[in-house]
Amino acid sequence: ETGVTQSPTHLIKTRGQQVTLRCSSQSGHNTVSWYQQALGQGPQFIFQYYREEENGRGNFPPRFSGLQFPNYSSELNVNALELDDSALYLCASSVRTAHNEKLFFGSGTQLSVL
Amino acid sequence: QQQVKQSPQSLIVQKGGISIINCAYENTAFDYFPWYQQFPGKGPALLIAIRPDVSEKKEGRFTISFNKSAKQFSLHIMDSQPGDSATYFCAASYSSGTYKYIFGTGTRLKVLA
């Protein structure tokens, strides 16, 4: 167990709708990252939050946004859902050290956009 | 230049055999190379990781071999077991302030009993 929990586990939405995915990080982990994993592919970096501020972003449009809270929880929000947004969304928490970070992933939220 | 290329896409090994998965990268700024194991319905779990200042790292049945000059690294699973059947991802990252991982496309390993 990584100590990272995500909710919900599965979600079905309609194109154009908005969705909020939630993550509870390991206690003491000050960094949270979100990844999108399409079927049969490796995870792709969406963005990272460090001490409640966005600290880097991948090649995703602004309709993907996030929040990190002081209690180590975080949210991923996606507006104007598109069919291609259907994927497994993974939250990963970590502790920033001098040399890279070990990412601890949750089990993910499977999002289906119809 | 940000890609990490992984092969093979799938692999079938007999129980007790050696599973070998290969990855190649282009960006020489990468300085951390983890391997993740993912079971269906679960998130990736860190298996083993290496930095480019060593050529090999072993943890139990899992070994990473790293060739800095060739910009390649590989995962060897010795004495492969049916319980090892999963998808394996290599990744790379560098210390730029944002520790984002670049993942390979994954290798689906099946170990036959």
Side-chain angles (χ1 to χ4, degrees):
Chain A
E1 289 296 325
T2 63
V4 180
T5 57
Q6 293 187 243
S7 63
T9 55
H10 295 83
L11 200 53
I12 299 175
K13 288 287 188 178
T14 304
R15 189 173 52 183
Q17 285 188 314
Q18 179 267 342
V19 69
T20 297
L21 310 182
R22 293 181 172 82
C23 172
S24 178
S25 303
Q26 275 197 34
S27 178
H29 282 195
N30 55 16
T31 304
V32 64
S33 305
W34 286 88
Y35 286 77
Q36 180 196 65
Q37 186 176 19
L39 190 63
Q41 299 296 316
Q44 295 223 343
F45 177 74
I46 302 175
F47 45 56
Q48 182 179 88
Y49 279 79
Y50 172 62
R51 292 183 176 177
E52 302 168 47
E53 290 194 5
E54 188 177 294
N55 183 49
R57 189 178 187 90
N59 189 26
F60 282 81
R63 58 190 185 84
F64 285 77
S65 64
L67 286 171
Q68 184 187 26
F69 303 101
N71 65 351
Y72 307 116
S73 66
S74 63
E75 290 180 355
L76 165 64
N77 298 287
V78 187
N79 293 321
L81 283 167
E82 301 177 0
L83 297 179
D84 285 348
D85 295 334
S86 296
L88 180 68
Y89 287 85
L90 296 163
C91 166
S93 75
S94 55
V95 178
R96 177 153 297 177
T97 62
H99 302 286
N100 302 102
E101 300 175 333
K102 293 183 180 180
L103 294 185
F104 297 91
F105 285 90
S107 293
T109 294
Q110 185 66 54
L111 174 65
S112 298
V113 182
L114 305 178
Chain B
Q1 203 179 22
Q2 287 281 22
Q3 278 188 324
V4 176
K5 296 181 180 179
Q6 184 172 347
S7 63
Q9 190 174 12
S10 63
L11 183 61
I12 299 176
V13 174
Q14 293 288 338
K15 179 182 175 181
I18 302 174
S19 304
I20 301 174
I21 305 170
N22 301 299
C23 283
Y25 64 97
E26 296 178 356
N27 189 343
T28 54
F30 288 141
D31 58 4
Y32 183 67
F33 302 89
W35 284 89
Y36 279 80
Q37 179 189 57
Q38 186 175 29
F39 292 104
K42 298 292 185 183
L46 178 64
L47 201 56
I48 187 172
I50 197 168
R51 302 191 192 283
D53 52 348
V54 297
S55 60
E56 186 175 281
K57 183 174 182 179
K58 184 176 181 180
E59 288 184 3
R61 297 186 293 111
F62 301 93
T63 299
I64 300 179
S65 296
F66 188 85
N67 186 329
K68 189 174 181 178
S69 60
K71 293 186 282 187
Q72 295 175 349
F73 58 110
S74 60
L75 175 69
H76 296 234
I77 306 174
M78 313 299 286
D79 187 27
S80 298
Q81 299 296 313
D84 296 331
S85 297
T87 300
Y88 292 81
F89 293 95
C90 62
S93 74
Y94 56 90
S95 310
S96 67
T98 300
Y99 296 98
K100 69 175 184 180
Y101 282 19
I102 308 299
F103 282 87
T105 51
T107 296
R108 184 175 290 184
L109 171 66
K110 185 176 178 65
V111 181
L112 302 176

